[in-house]
């Protein structure tokens, strides 16, 4: 994410807010299968936590799974909405923004999402982040803690993987129609079945249009995702898939000032629909095409080979605004207009060879893997730097002021050519001995990138080339013990890495990758019938080798000057509790609690040491209950949830806090007993509470989501 405030570049950390895990499904039968999810019927499915068939309940790590039934029940049309009720995860600090899915896991931001175990390609810097709609997703799996030992470049907090819907032999066609707040209109088709003795197909299509929460904004999406599986034999199959998504109109991130959102302004307080952009300028459109395949073969000796590949071709145009603070009247917001025109093309590939063998009294499941990704992206950035860009009176907002042809977008220009290559080789030994399961992981990564930039400032041309060539090793050691009464105890140590550009001003040496290390202990419980589950985890997670900048004394000259050194560290300590319970055939309950203590433990700027990073709540909680009227009103289900997010910091120096908030959500569903028709309804933020989602600093705050109502009908045949 690249934008500017007060003339300096900064990354807009994004979408974060609270919420739940291990949800109960619509009935007891579905609930007992939530650990496996339907996708495991596909022969090439492997768990996000281990890239093996090990069930989530038996994995010595923290993982939460949300299945398709819950995605639809909660009317979750994005990953950020799907994660509302997952412990340790905040997703909606900027809930009205729709151009990307970004979340905070265990206190650490991540822009990287995975689709079917492969990363959705981005250059990790700008605004083009492909999204996969929840309607095309069978489940969402959230792995908490460092995951680089299997996936390479991943932030230390964890990762989110959307598992794709696969073709099925069982013929079924689903049609959905939904309407609701902000003129929502949504139509969807999901059809699967057998097309020959040795093949299955699936076709997914969706169209959605709705007004944005902020004045004059809109969201519009169209997707088409066909796939086919061909069985060459009982041991060999190939799935070919394509995914096309066109987003003609989406809502970019346009911040407001803390005065008017967090604090009272001379005119009072801004409503949730307040907008600092302009309808003539602010705009975001994106087009994404992905096609790929999965090849799965089982050898006669029991070993299997899985190869997954995906090619991505995507582009996006953003026209947006940032603010340069308020004028002295605390009413007039000074603005700058900018645009980003981006394209990315690339390939991701993952090869997995898996097999089992016995040694003494232990069973070993080996996994050998090699993955590779390469991408080329072009970025054109234009910025008025406030020149001839109309300010806006927040007390009497006019979102129809700008004359686009008069904006001096050539005042500041950046043109980038970014090439990225990453190669990873990994190994896993999953050892089962009596009631014990051990996981040993190791992975070596080679990362290379080149960023060639051409700049123009006020007519003066200049440029630069930034190169990164870094290698990293990441490991994981984990163990779980299964007791006979349904309890499990586990512990793990895991590592992560992220490439880092630049060089140390003190030594002149190129920076090393930033690294993460986590130590975690926990307990899991599942009853014999699978209807009662409990998870508890305690973790200590550190991120090292952070680049810190500021004024410091140069040890070589004893002079105070601007320094950039790789000595920063952030530490997060936390406790997560989750439970799911099917009390009887009618009542199911689930909930979670999260305590998080996060602070900067080392920084060149000593004023930051001991401070909590922005957008990190020290406490979160959520609770959900479903009731099925099995006897009195068969087919009817009512559900209610409450999610609470504690205080967050207003800025990195912790000069003030953003108030806590709690939101109430409701859902209802009615399944007609005589046919395959279901009616659904949902309300989020039932009381329409006004709240501030988060602030990056005093000049950059975002309002929370207002009440949203949706009703839908689903036909299955």
């Amino acid at each position: 994410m690249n934008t500017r405030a007060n003339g300096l570049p900064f990354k807009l950390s994004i979408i974060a807010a609270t919420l739940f895990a291990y949800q109960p499904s619509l009935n007891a039968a579905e609930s007992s299968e939530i650990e496996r999810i339907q996708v495991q019927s596909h022969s090439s499915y492997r768990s996000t936590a281990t890239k093996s068939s090990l069930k989530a309940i038996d994995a010595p790590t923290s993982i939460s799974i949300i299945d398709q039934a819950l995605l639809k029940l909660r009317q979750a049309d994005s990953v950020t909405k799907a994660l509302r009720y997952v412990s340790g995860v905040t997703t909606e600090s900027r809930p009205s923004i729709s151009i990307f899915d970004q979340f905070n896991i265990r206190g650490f931001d991540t822009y990287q999402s995975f689709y079917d175990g492969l990363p959705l390609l981005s250059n990790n810097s700008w605004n083009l982040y492909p999204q996969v709609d929840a309607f095309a997703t069978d489940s969402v799996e959230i792995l908490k803690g460092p995951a680089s030992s299997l996936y390479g470049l991943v932030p230390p907090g964890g990762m989110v993987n959307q598992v794709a819907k696969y073709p099925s032999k069982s013929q079924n066609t689903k049609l959905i129609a939904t309407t609701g707040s902000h003129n929502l209109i949504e139509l969807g088709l999901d059809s699967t079945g057998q097309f020959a003795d040795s093949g299955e197909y699936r076709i997914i299509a969706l169209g959605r249009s709705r007004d944005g929460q902020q004045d004059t904004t809109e969201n519009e999406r169209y997707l088409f995702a066909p796939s086919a599986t061909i069985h060459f034999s009982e041991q060999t199959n190939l799935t070919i898939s394509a995914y096309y998504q066109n987003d003609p109109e989406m809502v970019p991130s346009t911040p407001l000032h803390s005065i008017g959102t967090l604090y009272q302004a001379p005119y009072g307080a801004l409503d949730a629909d307040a907008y600092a952009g302009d309808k003539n300028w602010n705009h975001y459109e994106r087009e994404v095409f992905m096609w790929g395949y999965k090849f799965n073969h089982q050898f006669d000796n029991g070993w299997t080979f899985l190869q997954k590949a995906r090619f991505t071709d995507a582009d996006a145009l953003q026209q947006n605004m940032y603010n340069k603070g308020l004028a002295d009247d605390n009413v007039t917001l000074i603005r700058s207009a900018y645009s980003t025109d981006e394209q990315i093309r690339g390939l991701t590939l993952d090869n997995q060879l898996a097999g089992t063998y016995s040694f003494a009294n232990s069973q070993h499941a080996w996994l050998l893997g090699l993955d590779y990704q390469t991408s080329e992206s072009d970025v054109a950035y234009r910025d008025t730097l406030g020149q001839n860009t109309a300010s806006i009176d927040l007390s009497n907002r006019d979102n129809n002021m700008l004359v686009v042809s008069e904006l001096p977008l050539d005042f500041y220009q950046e043109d980038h050519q970014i090439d990225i290559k990453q190669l990873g080789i990994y190994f896993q030994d999953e050892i089962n001995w009596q009631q014990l399961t051990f996981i040993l992981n190791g992975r070596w990564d080679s990362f290379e990138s080149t960023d060639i930039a051409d700049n123009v400032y006020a007519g003066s041309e200049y440029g630069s080339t930034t190169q990164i060539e870094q290698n990293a090793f990441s490991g994981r050691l984990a163990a779980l013990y299964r007791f006979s009464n349904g309890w499990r105890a586990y512990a793990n140590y895991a590592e992560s890495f992220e490439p880092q550009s630049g060089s140390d001003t003190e030594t002149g040496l190129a920076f090393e990758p930033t690294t993460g290390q986590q130590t975690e202990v926990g307990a899991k419980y599942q009853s014999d019938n699978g209807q009662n589950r409990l998870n508890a985890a305690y973790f200590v997670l550190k991120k090292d080798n952070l680049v810190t900048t500021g004024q410091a004394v140069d040890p070589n000259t004893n002079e105070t000057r601007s320094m950039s050194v790789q000595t920063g560290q952030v530490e997060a300590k936390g406790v997560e509790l989750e439970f799911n319970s099917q009390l009887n055939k009618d009542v199911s309950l689930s909930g979670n609690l999260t305590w998080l203590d996060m602070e900067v433990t080392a920084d060149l700027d000593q004023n930051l040491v001991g401070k909590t990073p922005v957008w990190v709540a020290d406490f979160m909680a959520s609770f959900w209950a479903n009731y099925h009227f099995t006897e009195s009103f068969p087919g009817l289900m009512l559900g209610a949830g409450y999610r609470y997010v504690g205080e967050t910091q207003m800025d990195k120096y912790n000069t003030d806090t953003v108030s806590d908030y709690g939101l109430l959500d409701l859902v209802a569903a009615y399944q007609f007993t005589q046919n395959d028709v279901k009616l659904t309804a949902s309300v989020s933020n039932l009381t329409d509470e006004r709240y501030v989602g988060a602030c990056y600093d005093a000049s950059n705050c975002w309002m929370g989501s207002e009440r949203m109502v949706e009703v839908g009908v689903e036909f299955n045949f």
Side-chain angles (χ1 to χ4, degrees):
M1 197 68 37
N2 190 303
T3 185
R4 286 163 170 74
N6 300 322
L8 296 175
F10 74 101
K11 287 194 174 182
L12 294 175
S13 323
I14 311 159
I15 312 177
T18 28
L19 316 85
F20 252 56
Y22 288 91
Q23 307 298 330
S25 296
L26 295 182
N27 55 52
E30 290 176 340
S31 179
S32 65
E33 293 296 317
I34 195 167
E35 295 296 344
R36 291 181 284 281
I37 313 180
Q38 293 179 353
V39 292
Q40 289 206 14
S41 63
H42 195 273
S43 59
S44 61
Y45 169 77
R46 294 177 180 176
S47 166
T48 299
T50 59
K51 290 190 176 180
S52 73
S53 59
L54 185 65
K55 298 176 183 178
I57 189 66
D58 292 323
T61 187
S62 295
I63 182 168
S64 299
I65 298 175
I66 308 168
D67 63 8
Q68 174 58 215
L70 280 165
L71 291 174
K72 183 57 186 172
L73 178 65
R74 304 278 170 78
Q75 304 290 341
D77 56 10
S78 67
V79 172
T80 53
K81 290 182 181 179
L83 300 181
R84 281 176 170 174
Y85 289 90
V86 176
S87 67
V89 181
T90 53
T91 66
E92 291 187 291
S93 292
R94 301 192 290 177
S96 62
I97 309 308
S98 59
I99 65 174
F100 36 63
D101 294 319
Q102 191 272 338
F103 23 82
N104 181 294
I105 305 176
R106 292 187 169 176
F108 293 92
D109 292 327
T110 176
Y111 298 84
Q112 180 67 73
S113 294
F114 286 74
Y115 180 48
D116 233 22
L118 295 175
L120 291 169
L121 281 182
S122 72
N123 55 41
N124 303 310
S125 301
W126 293 82
N127 299 278
L128 175 51
Y129 290 89
Q131 288 175 298
V132 173
D133 197 272
F135 186 68
T137 302
D138 194 78
S139 66
V140 179
E141 303 189 357
I142 306 96
L143 176 60
K144 302 168 192 175
S148 291
S149 61
L150 282 179
Y151 294 94
L153 194 169
V154 181
M159 58 172 284
V160 173
N161 180 34
Q162 295 173 254
V163 179
K165 290 181 175 179
Y166 287 109
S168 171
K169 292 182 179 180
S170 300
Q171 178 68 45
N172 183 72
T173 297
K174 176 188 297 184
L175 294 174
I176 65 167
T178 310
T179 187
S181 302
H182 300 298
N183 298 314
L184 169 66
I185 298 176
E186 179 184 66
L187 297 174
L189 166 70
D190 182 359
S191 181
T192 187
Q194 196 166 356
F195 66 82
D197 292 339
S198 59
E200 301 107 38
Y201 72 91
R202 192 156 197 164
I203 297 175
I204 300 170
L206 180 79
R208 180 189 300 122
S209 175
R210 79 184 314 161
D211 296 336
Q213 174 175 307
Q214 298 159 306
D215 290 334
T216 74
T217 63
E218 297 178 32
N219 288 291
E220 190 175 359
R221 170 169 293 174
Y222 305 97
L223 75 85
F224 180 63
S227 59
T229 297
I230 301 172
H231 299 273
F232 298 102
S233 68
E234 292 184 357
Q235 296 175 296
T236 306
N237 63 71
L238 174 68
T239 298
I240 302 172
S241 60
Y243 187 94
Y244 173 77
Q245 184 170 298
N246 183 19
D247 299 316
E249 196 70 56
M250 304 192 78
V251 181
S253 175
T254 309
L256 294 161
H257 201 275
S258 57
I259 296 177
T261 56
L262 195 61
Y263 307 117
Q264 287 288 310
Y267 52 83
L270 294 170
D271 294 329
D273 61 358
Y275 191 41
D278 193 282
K279 66 178 296 185
N280 301 315
W281 173 249
N282 289 66
H283 170 74
Y284 185 96
E285 61 182 85
R286 176 181 58 206
E287 190 172 28
V288 177
F289 175 67
M290 300 184 292
W291 67 269
Y293 66 86
K294 276 189 174 187
F295 175 77
N296 192 64
H297 176 73
Q298 182 170 341
F299 297 96
D300 291 336
N301 60 5
W303 284 68
T304 61
F305 174 71
L306 171 64
Q307 184 180 74
K308 300 186 291 185
R310 183 166 65 235
F311 174 79
T312 300
D313 185 352
D315 58 79
L317 173 64
Q318 177 184 218
Q319 297 173 176
N320 200 6
M321 307 183 80
Y322 60 88
N323 73 72
K324 300 169 72 67
L326 287 174
D328 293 338
D329 60 4
N330 281 339
V331 171
T332 305
L333 191 67
I334 303 169
R335 303 184 295 181
S336 184
Y338 71 94
S339 67
T340 57
D341 190 355
E342 308 172 55
Q343 299 83 38
I344 188 169
R345 289 160 185 82
L347 172 71
T348 58
L349 176 70
D350 189 10
N351 300 279
Q352 301 175 24
L353 180 64
T356 61
Y357 75 99
S358 299
F359 178 76
N361 294 322
S362 62
Q363 298 293 320
H364 294 249
W366 274 16
L367 174 66
L368 303 173
L370 183 149
D371 62 28
Y372 175 76
Q373 63 172 289
T374 179
S375 66
E376 298 178 353
S377 58
D378 300 305
V379 180
Y381 180 85
R382 303 292 184 264
D383 198 326
T384 66
L385 295 184
Q387 303 291 316
N388 198 32
T389 306
S391 301
I392 185 171
D393 181 353
L394 294 178
S395 67
N396 185 26
R397 298 188 306 278
D398 184 354
N399 299 115
N400 187 14
M401 298 171 59
L402 294 186
V403 179
V404 175
S405 61
E406 297 178 0
L407 292 175
L409 292 166
D410 59 351
F411 187 79
Y412 180 76
Q413 305 175 45
E414 289 184 29
D415 290 287
H416 292 261
Q417 291 181 317
I418 305 172
D419 296 333
I420 295 176
K421 292 181 180 179
Q422 180 180 354
L423 173 67
I425 301 172
Y426 57 92
F427 167 77
Q428 177 175 274
D429 189 3
E430 181 183 310
I431 307 167
N432 287 281
W433 178 66
Q434 296 182 3
Q435 286 80 34
L436 278 169
T437 296
F438 296 96
I439 302 289
L440 301 175
N441 284 116
R443 177 180 169 119
W444 176 84
D445 277 281
S446 174
F447 181 90
E448 298 179 9
S449 74
T450 302
D451 184 349
I452 302 174
D454 296 313
N455 304 65
V456 177
Y457 175 74
S460 298
E461 298 182 4
Y462 58 99
S464 63
T465 299
T466 302
Q467 290 185 309
I468 302 177
E469 294 184 9
Q470 295 175 349
N471 300 327
F473 177 83
S474 306
R476 178 172 66 172
L477 174 63
L480 178 141
Y481 184 83
R482 294 179 298 277
F483 296 92
S484 59
N485 58 2
W487 282 93
R488 292 144 171 93
Y490 72 91
N492 66 62
Y493 171 81
E495 298 174 328
S496 69
F497 90 97
E498 296 169 273
Q500 180 63 58
S501 64
S503 60
D504 191 306
T505 53
E506 182 177 336
T507 65
L509 299 176
F511 287 135
E512 297 292 324
T514 60
T515 58
Q517 306 88 35
Q518 174 187 267
T519 302
E520 177 182 0
V521 294
K524 301 181 180 184
Y525 171 78
Q526 179 170 286
S527 60
D528 292 339
N529 59 11
Q531 296 182 11
N532 295 286
R533 292 185 301 279
L534 175 68
N535 294 342
Y538 171 75
F539 61 88
V540 178
L541 180 55
K542 296 180 180 180
K543 187 173 183 179
D544 293 314
N545 291 344
L546 292 168
V547 175
T548 65
T549 59
Q551 297 293 315
V553 176
D554 189 329
N556 299 315
T557 64
N558 289 324
E559 296 179 354
T560 299
R561 66 185 183 92
S562 297
M563 302 283 286
S564 180
V565 295
Q566 199 170 17
T567 58
Q569 183 187 75
V570 178
E571 181 180 77
K573 300 178 181 178
V575 174
E576 296 168 353
L577 300 176
E578 306 175 342
F579 76 88
N580 268 355
S581 179
Q582 187 79 36
L583 297 183
N584 53 47
K585 63 181 180 181
D586 292 330
V587 181
S588 60
L589 304 174
S590 61
N592 72 72
L593 300 173
T594 303
W595 289 271
L596 184 62
D597 179 13
M598 188 172 187
E599 66 174 332
V600 177
T601 50
D603 198 283
L604 189 62
D605 184 350
Q606 291 300 307
N607 292 323
L608 288 176
V609 177
K611 300 298 191 296
T612 300
V614 295
W615 299 6
V616 176
D618 57 356
F619 178 72
M620 298 180 291
S622 57
F623 179 82
W624 192 276
N626 286 336
Y627 186 82
H628 298 263
F629 295 79
T630 306
E631 301 295 338
S632 59
F633 207 141
L636 177 64
M637 188 282 299
L638 297 180
Y642 179 79
R643 43 195 167 103
Y644 172 83
V645 180
E647 290 183 346
T648 58
Q649 299 300 321
M650 187 193 72
D651 57 28
K652 64 180 181 179
Y653 291 108
N654 298 181
T655 60
D656 205 349
T657 59
V658 178
S659 298
D660 59 344
Y661 60 88
L663 305 176
L664 181 63
D665 302 324
L666 299 178
V667 300
Y670 181 71
Q671 178 74 55
F672 287 90
T673 57
Q674 300 302 318
N675 50 48
D676 291 325
V677 178
K678 179 188 292 184
L679 302 179
T680 61
S682 68
V683 184
S684 60
N685 190 5
L686 177 68
T687 60
D688 202 21
E689 178 178 348
R690 179 199 180 275
Y691 66 101
V692 177
C695 293
Y696 181 84
D697 55 29
S699 295
N700 295 275
C701 295
W702 293 267
M703 296 299 298
S705 181
E706 60 189 0
R707 179 170 53 226
M708 300 288 288
V709 179
E710 297 183 11
V711 294
V713 59
E714 177 182 309
F715 302 92
N716 287 276
F717 52 89

